[in-house]
mmCIF file with all atom_site columns, all heavy atoms in Angstrom:
data_model
loop_
_atom_site.group_PDB
_atom_site.id
_atom_site.type_symbol
_atom_site.label_atom_id
_atom_site.label_alt_id
_atom_site.label_comp_id
_atom_site.label_asym_id
_atom_site.label_entity_id
_atom_site.label_seq_id
_atom_site.pdbx_PDB_ins_code
_atom_site.Cartn_x
_atom_site.Cartn_y
_atom_site.Cartn_z
_atom_site.occupancy
_atom_site.B_iso_or_equiv
_atom_site.pdbx_formal_charge
_atom_site.auth_seq_id
_atom_site.auth_comp_id
_atom_site.auth_asym_id
_atom_site.auth_atom_id
_atom_site.pdbx_PDB_model_num
ATOM 1  N N   . LEU C 1 34 ? -2.813  -6.413  6.172   1.00 90.00 ? 973 LEU C N   1
ATOM 2  C CA  . LEU C 1 34 ? -3.795  -5.901  5.226   1.00 90.00 ? 973 LEU C CA  1
ATOM 3  C C   . LEU C 1 34 ? -4.279  -7.039  4.339   1.00 90.00 ? 973 LEU C C   1
ATOM 4  O O   . LEU C 1 34 ? -3.483  -7.878  3.917   1.00 90.00 ? 973 LEU C O   1
ATOM 5  C CB  . LEU C 1 34 ? -3.193  -4.809  4.344   1.00 90.00 ? 973 LEU C CB  1
ATOM 6  C CG  . LEU C 1 34 ? -2.740  -3.529  5.037   1.00 90.00 ? 973 LEU C CG  1
ATOM 7  C CD1 . LEU C 1 34 ? -2.124  -2.573  4.022   1.00 90.00 ? 973 LEU C CD1 1
ATOM 8  C CD2 . LEU C 1 34 ? -3.889  -2.878  5.763   1.00 90.00 ? 973 LEU C CD2 1
ATOM 9  N N   . LEU C 1 35 ? -5.554  -7.042  4.062   1.00 92.00 ? 974 LEU C N   1
ATOM 10 C CA  . LEU C 1 35 ? -6.149  -8.008  3.155   1.00 92.00 ? 974 LEU C CA  1
ATOM 11 C C   . LEU C 1 35 ? -7.047  -7.220  2.207   1.00 92.00 ? 974 LEU C C   1
ATOM 12 O O   . LEU C 1 35 ? -8.021  -6.611  2.633   1.00 92.00 ? 974 LEU C O   1
ATOM 13 C CB  . LEU C 1 35 ? -6.969  -9.048  3.919   1.00 92.00 ? 974 LEU C CB  1
ATOM 14 C CG  . LEU C 1 35 ? -7.723  -10.071 3.081   1.00 92.00 ? 974 LEU C CG  1
ATOM 15 C CD1 . LEU C 1 35 ? -6.727  -10.946 2.305   1.00 92.00 ? 974 LEU C CD1 1
ATOM 16 C CD2 . LEU C 1 35 ? -8.602  -10.927 3.970   1.00 92.00 ? 974 LEU C CD2 1
ATOM 17 N N   . PHE C 1 36 ? -6.686  -7.209  0.927   1.00 92.00 ? 975 PHE C N   1
ATOM 18 C CA  . PHE C 1 36 ? -7.480  -6.511  -0.081  1.00 92.00 ? 975 PHE C CA  1
ATOM 19 C C   . PHE C 1 36 ? -8.361  -7.527  -0.787  1.00 92.00 ? 975 PHE C C   1
ATOM 20 O O   . PHE C 1 36 ? -7.874  -8.564  -1.230  1.00 92.00 ? 975 PHE C O   1
ATOM 21 C CB  . PHE C 1 36 ? -6.584  -5.811  -1.106  1.00 92.00 ? 975 PHE C CB  1
ATOM 22 C CG  . PHE C 1 36 ? -5.659  -4.789  -0.496  1.00 92.00 ? 975 PHE C CG  1
ATOM 23 C CD1 . PHE C 1 36 ? -4.295  -4.909  -0.621  1.00 92.00 ? 975 PHE C CD1 1
ATOM 24 C CD2 . PHE C 1 36 ? -6.165  -3.712  0.203   1.00 92.00 ? 975 PHE C CD2 1
ATOM 25 C CE1 . PHE C 1 36 ? -3.437  -3.974  -0.065  1.00 92.00 ? 975 PHE C CE1 1
ATOM 26 C CE2 . PHE C 1 36 ? -5.326  -2.775  0.766   1.00 92.00 ? 975 PHE C CE2 1
ATOM 27 C CZ  . PHE C 1 36 ? -3.963  -2.902  0.632   1.00 92.00 ? 975 PHE C CZ  1
ATOM 28 N N   . VAL C 1 37 ? -9.633  -7.233  -0.883  1.00 94.00 ? 976 VAL C N   1
ATOM 29 C CA  . VAL C 1 37 ? -10.573 -8.136  -1.547  1.00 94.00 ? 976 VAL C CA  1
ATOM 30 C C   . VAL C 1 37 ? -11.325 -7.371  -2.630  1.00 94.00 ? 976 VAL C C   1
ATOM 31 O O   . VAL C 1 37 ? -11.514 -6.165  -2.532  1.00 94.00 ? 976 VAL C O   1
ATOM 32 C CB  . VAL C 1 37 ? -11.577 -8.762  -0.554  1.00 94.00 ? 976 VAL C CB  1
ATOM 33 C CG1 . VAL C 1 37 ? -10.871 -9.638  0.445   1.00 94.00 ? 976 VAL C CG1 1
ATOM 34 C CG2 . VAL C 1 37 ? -12.369 -7.691  0.172   1.00 94.00 ? 976 VAL C CG2 1
ATOM 35 N N   . GLY C 1 38 ? -11.708 -8.080  -3.656  1.00 94.00 ? 977 GLY C N   1
ATOM 36 C CA  . GLY C 1 38 ? -12.482 -7.475  -4.733  1.00 94.00 ? 977 GLY C CA  1
ATOM 37 C C   . GLY C 1 38 ? -12.292 -8.255  -6.017  1.00 94.00 ? 977 GLY C C   1
ATOM 38 O O   . GLY C 1 38 ? -11.515 -9.211  -6.077  1.00 94.00 ? 977 GLY C O   1
ATOM 39 N N   . PRO C 1 39 ? -13.005 -7.826  -7.048  1.00 96.00 ? 978 PRO C N   1
ATOM 40 C CA  . PRO C 1 39 ? -12.918 -8.533  -8.329  1.00 96.00 ? 978 PRO C CA  1
ATOM 41 C C   . PRO C 1 39 ? -11.531 -8.418  -8.957  1.00 96.00 ? 978 PRO C C   1
ATOM 42 O O   . PRO C 1 39 ? -10.768 -7.500  -8.638  1.00 96.00 ? 978 PRO C O   1
ATOM 43 C CB  . PRO C 1 39 ? -13.957 -7.835  -9.205  1.00 96.00 ? 978 PRO C CB  1
ATOM 44 C CG  . PRO C 1 39 ? -14.613 -6.804  -8.381  1.00 96.00 ? 978 PRO C CG  1
ATOM 45 C CD  . PRO C 1 39 ? -13.936 -6.719  -7.072  1.00 96.00 ? 978 PRO C CD  1
ATOM 46 N N   . PRO C 1 40 ? -11.204 -9.341  -9.851  1.00 95.00 ? 979 PRO C N   1
ATOM 47 C CA  . PRO C 1 40 ? -9.922  -9.281  -10.555 1.00 95.00 ? 979 PRO C CA  1
ATOM 48 C C   . PRO C 1 40 ? -9.781  -7.975  -11.336 1.00 95.00 ? 979 PRO C C   1
ATOM 49 O O   . PRO C 1 40 ? -10.769 -7.424  -11.838 1.00 95.00 ? 979 PRO C O   1
ATOM 50 C CB  . PRO C 1 40 ? -9.976  -10.469 -11.511 1.00 95.00 ? 979 PRO C CB  1
ATOM 51 C CG  . PRO C 1 40 ? -11.015 -11.376 -10.974 1.00 95.00 ? 979 PRO C CG  1
ATOM 52 C CD  . PRO C 1 40 ? -12.003 -10.507 -10.268 1.00 95.00 ? 979 PRO C CD  1
ATOM 53 N N   . GLY C 1 41 ? -8.551  -7.509  -11.410 1.00 91.00 ? 980 GLY C N   1
ATOM 54 C CA  . GLY C 1 41 ? -8.261  -6.346  -12.237 1.00 91.00 ? 980 GLY C CA  1
ATOM 55 C C   . GLY C 1 41 ? -8.623  -5.004  -11.642 1.00 91.00 ? 980 GLY C C   1
ATOM 56 O O   . GLY C 1 41 ? -8.705  -4.005  -12.350 1.00 91.00 ? 980 GLY C O   1
ATOM 57 N N   . THR C 1 42 ? -8.825  -4.944  -10.322 1.00 90.00 ? 981 THR C N   1
ATOM 58 C CA  . THR C 1 42 ? -9.208  -3.675  -9.705  1.00 90.00 ? 981 THR C CA  1
ATOM 59 C C   . THR C 1 42 ? -8.055  -2.966  -9.013  1.00 90.00 ? 981 THR C C   1
ATOM 60 O O   . THR C 1 42 ? -8.259  -1.926  -8.393  1.00 90.00 ? 981 THR C O   1
ATOM 61 C CB  . THR C 1 42 ? -10.362 -3.888  -8.706  1.00 90.00 ? 981 THR C CB  1
ATOM 62 O OG1 . THR C 1 42 ? -9.973  -4.882  -7.751  1.00 90.00 ? 981 THR C OG1 1
ATOM 63 C CG2 . THR C 1 42 ? -11.623 -4.332  -9.418  1.00 90.00 ? 981 THR C CG2 1
ATOM 64 N N   . GLY C 1 43 ? -6.839  -3.517  -9.084  1.00 91.00 ? 982 GLY C N   1
ATOM 65 C CA  . GLY C 1 43 ? -5.664  -2.831  -8.562  1.00 91.00 ? 982 GLY C CA  1
ATOM 66 C C   . GLY C 1 43 ? -5.200  -3.259  -7.185  1.00 91.00 ? 982 GLY C C   1
ATOM 67 O O   . GLY C 1 43 ? -4.368  -2.578  -6.577  1.00 91.00 ? 982 GLY C O   1
ATOM 68 N N   . LYS C 1 44 ? -5.700  -4.355  -6.685  1.00 92.00 ? 983 LYS C N   1
ATOM 69 C CA  . LYS C 1 44 ? -5.313  -4.787  -5.341  1.00 92.00 ? 983 LYS C CA  1
ATOM 70 C C   . LYS C 1 44 ? -3.814  -5.072  -5.237  1.00 92.00 ? 983 LYS C C   1
ATOM 71 O O   . LYS C 1 44 ? -3.161  -4.608  -4.306  1.00 92.00 ? 983 LYS C O   1
ATOM 72 C CB  . LYS C 1 44 ? -6.107  -6.036  -4.932  1.00 92.00 ? 983 LYS C CB  1
ATOM 73 C CG  . LYS C 1 44 ? -7.616  -5.806  -4.874  1.00 92.00 ? 983 LYS C CG  1
ATOM 74 C CD  . LYS C 1 44 ? -8.373  -7.071  -4.537  1.00 92.00 ? 983 LYS C CD  1
ATOM 75 C CE  . LYS C 1 44 ? -8.194  -8.161  -5.566  1.00 92.00 ? 983 LYS C CE  1
ATOM 76 N NZ  . LYS C 1 44 ? -8.818  -7.917  -6.869  1.00 92.00 ? 983 LYS C NZ  1
ATOM 77 N N   . THR C 1 45 ? -3.276  -5.813  -6.189  1.00 92.00 ? 984 THR C N   1
ATOM 78 C CA  . THR C 1 45 ? -1.848  -6.126  -6.170  1.00 92.00 ? 984 THR C CA  1
ATOM 79 C C   . THR C 1 45 ? -1.023  -4.866  -6.394  1.00 92.00 ? 984 THR C C   1
ATOM 80 O O   . THR C 1 45 ? 0.002   -4.664  -5.730  1.00 92.00 ? 984 THR C O   1
ATOM 81 C CB  . THR C 1 45 ? -1.514  -7.198  -7.224  1.00 92.00 ? 984 THR C CB  1
ATOM 82 O OG1 . THR C 1 45 ? -2.291  -8.363  -6.947  1.00 92.00 ? 984 THR C OG1 1
ATOM 83 C CG2 . THR C 1 45 ? -0.043  -7.556  -7.207  1.00 92.00 ? 984 THR C CG2 1
#
Side-chain angles (χ1 to χ4, degrees):
L973 296 178
L974 176 64
F975 300 120
V976 296
T981 55
K983 298 177 298 291
T984 302

